[in-house]
Amino acid sequence: MNGNGVLAQTLRWLNDPLNWQGPHGVPALTVEHLGMSAAAVLIAAVVALPLGVWLGHRPRGGGLTVVASNTSRALPTLALLFIFATTGLGFGNRPTVLAAALFAMPPILSHAFTGVREVDPAARDAAGGMGMSAARVLGTVELPLALPLIGAGLRTAAVQVVATVPLAALVGGGGLGTIIVTGFATQRYGQVVAGGILVAALCLAVEAVLAFGQRVLTPRPMRAVAVGR
Amino acid sequence: MGAPNPWFSWAYVQANRDDITTALTQHVLLTVEAVAIAALVALPLALVAFRHPRLSGLVIGTSGVLYTVPSLALFAVLYPVLRDRRTTVLVGLVVYALLVLVRNVLVGLRGVDPAVTDAARGLGQSPGRILFTVQLPNALPSVVVGLRLATVSTVALVTIGVVVGYGGLGQLMYRGFTSLYRAEIVTATVLTLAVALVADVLLWLAGRLATPWARGRR
């Protein structure tokens, strides 16, 4: 056991200015990491948000949504990445962004679905009674009331994506995961630990920023609802 | 690439039966062991948090923070310290399963109808007795949900163990990836999904058997 040795190596790696500059330095990798994550969340949101809202808006059906989103937990991200690599999608960042986007869809979808579906029927009825069309009910009543849950879904998805993107390094991609994977490959365990700490710190930071942003963006009367994730 | 690269090949499965069995056994054992250890630790932890509401904020908060840490990062930090591939993966899996379980046990305990607890207290039951004969049985459905969730995500998580070279079926996926052989990746993936599905159904059945009173409700 030389845990102390590893700790010293970790600190040395983190304190080495060479690791913090250039195209493979920590800042550059972080920017790449966040860029890939943003792209993945965007793709997932574009597909899953309208679908979830629509499924929730319809009076019936949609039970399958929740089942499908639960089952998707069992599919290993790694499997999808490796399968992508053997197809035309190839290696690196693009397939990783796609895989991360695919895994970000279930939380966005199920949260949007639940948010719209669980809107108080009385509010929906009142809007209908005032002569609003279905589309107006959706836009002015259901969506605003579902917003806290939709936000929670996006937040869950974003944090999950930031945590998934490191796997890109296993298929020749970039981002902060490269520090870990290169460290394992060269048996520099101080670097491995340093990479692990950086990835974990980034995830926690993203989670904190999004939680704060969600709080600020939620209108005060609705804050109590927004606690659930 | 001139050589055929099928999505599935029976010949591959037969030729690699031993490797597949080894990986599958490794995968299942890791999952069972991780969830069992996590359950053993999670129950007392959740009980303590339930009894002392002040601690529950701490437990939930810490587990939330830990859950945000990606598995790759956790394995990366654990391996250099533990220096054992199997232990690293096992400890990582236990941590994640633990977080899911503690949360669900707490949710279950908190969701018990206060009227039922009051009735038990009115009958003169001690707090300990209420816990074991009223609260825990009533929390059981939620515990089962937690167990299913933890098991299914553990099955998927085992594959990340490839970073330290002990990833069960993930190991086969990785081998298939390095040789760009689709059938191997797909076989391992389908087996992983099958393990998750079987485990989920088994736990669901066990849950139904353990809570006969809850059957009529749904």
Side-chain angles (χ1 to χ4, degrees):
Chain A
M1 293 295 282
N2 53 351
N4 286 333
V6 172
L7 192 65
Q9 284 168 34
T10 307
L11 290 175
R12 206 178 311 138
W13 195 92
L14 285 172
N15 275 317
D16 188 345
L18 277 178
N19 292 327
W20 291 83
Q21 42 190 257
H24 297 291
V26 173
L29 289 176
T30 308
V31 169
E32 187 180 16
H33 198 117
L34 289 175
M36 287 163 73
S37 308
V41 175
L42 200 70
I43 296 172
V46 165
V47 176
L49 262 188
L51 194 61
V53 168
W54 178 69
L55 284 171
H57 177 67
R58 290 186 340 153
R60 298 236 152 261
L64 213 71
T65 322
V66 181
V67 175
S69 100
N70 283 347
T71 319
S72 72
R73 278 172 182 278
L75 182 65
T77 323
L78 214 54
L80 205 56
L81 274 180
F82 290 163
I83 289 173
F84 279 174
T86 65
T87 64
L89 284 164
F91 301 83
N93 291 350
R94 201 161 29 127
T96 311
V97 168
L98 264 181
L102 272 177
F103 280 96
M105 284 175 197
I108 298 180
L109 185 74
S110 62
H111 276 81
F113 169 77
T114 317
V116 175
R117 179 55 64 85
E118 301 290 298
V119 166
D120 188 350
R124 208 178 277 148
D125 282 352
M130 286 165 71
M132 286 189 189
S133 64
R136 261 202 83 197
V137 174
L138 179 66
T140 56
V141 177
E142 289 177 329
L143 271 186
L145 285 173
L147 222 49
L149 261 182
I150 293 178
L154 282 173
R155 186 176 131 199
T156 310
V159 174
Q160 185 193 312
V161 164
V162 176
T164 309
V165 164
L167 295 179
L170 285 172
V171 290
L176 286 174
T178 44
I179 301 175
I180 299 174
V181 172
T182 316
F184 267 120
T186 53
Q187 300 202 356
R188 291 191 183 127
Y189 293 116
Q191 181 180 340
V192 171
V193 175
I197 292 172
L198 287 170
V199 171
L202 185 69
C203 285
L204 293 175
V206 168
E207 162 77 5
V209 168
L210 289 178
F212 179 75
Q214 193 191 353
R215 218 190 128 69
V216 172
L217 289 175
T218 310
R220 197 173 294 273
M222 292 175 73
R223 277 188 193 161
V225 199
V227 181
R229 283 184 46 180
Chain B
M1 281 197 271
N5 197 356
W7 291 101
F8 184 78
S9 154
W10 191 242
Y12 157 77
V13 176
Q14 280 181 327
N16 291 273
R17 181 166 290 166
D18 287 350
D19 285 358
I20 296 174
T21 318
T22 311
L24 187 65
T25 317
Q26 195 184 83
H27 206 111
V28 171
L29 283 180
L30 266 176
T31 307
V32 171
E33 222 173 304
V35 175
I37 296 174
L40 284 179
V41 182
L43 203 59
L45 213 61
L47 286 181
V48 170
F50 179 63
R51 281 297 183 81
H52 308 275
R54 259 190 215 173
L55 275 177
S56 87
L58 186 78
V59 169
I60 293 286
T62 317
S63 67
V65 167
L66 271 177
Y67 201 70
T68 311
V69 173
S71 42
L72 185 68
L74 190 65
F75 290 154
V77 174
L78 285 176
Y79 180 69
V81 181
L82 296 172
R83 291 278 166 166
D84 181 73
R85 295 181 294 156
R86 187 179 155 77
T87 320
T88 302
V89 178
L90 190 61
V91 170
L93 294 175
V94 167
V95 168
Y96 287 110
L98 188 66
L99 307 177
V100 177
L101 286 174
V102 169
R103 261 190 212 186
N104 273 276
V105 177
L106 258 181
V107 167
L109 285 173
R110 285 200 189 132
V112 176
D113 188 350
V116 179
T117 323
D118 278 353
R121 195 175 301 128
L123 283 165
Q125 291 196 350
S126 66
R129 216 161 142 210
I130 294 179
L131 184 68
F132 283 103
T133 59
V134 177
Q135 288 170 320
L136 274 181
N138 269 298
L140 210 54
S142 175
V143 175
V144 173
V145 169
L147 272 177
R148 289 173 60 187
L149 209 62
T151 309
V152 170
S153 31
T154 302
V155 170
L157 213 52
V158 170
T159 57
I160 308 290
V162 293
V163 284
V164 293
Y166 201 92
L169 291 163
Q171 225 50 50
L172 281 188
M173 291 177 199
Y174 189 66
R175 201 172 73 180
F177 163 70
T178 48
S179 54
L180 288 179
Y181 183 50
R182 281 182 196 144
E184 185 155 49
I185 307 177
V186 171
T187 307
T189 308
V190 170
L191 282 174
T192 311
L193 289 174
V195 170
L197 197 70
V198 168
D200 199 39
V201 169
L202 283 179
L203 283 169
W204 173 73
L205 275 177
R208 268 177 75 91
L209 287 176
T211 57
W213 62 86
R215 257 178 246 168
R217 264 187 243 157
R218 277 184 67 92

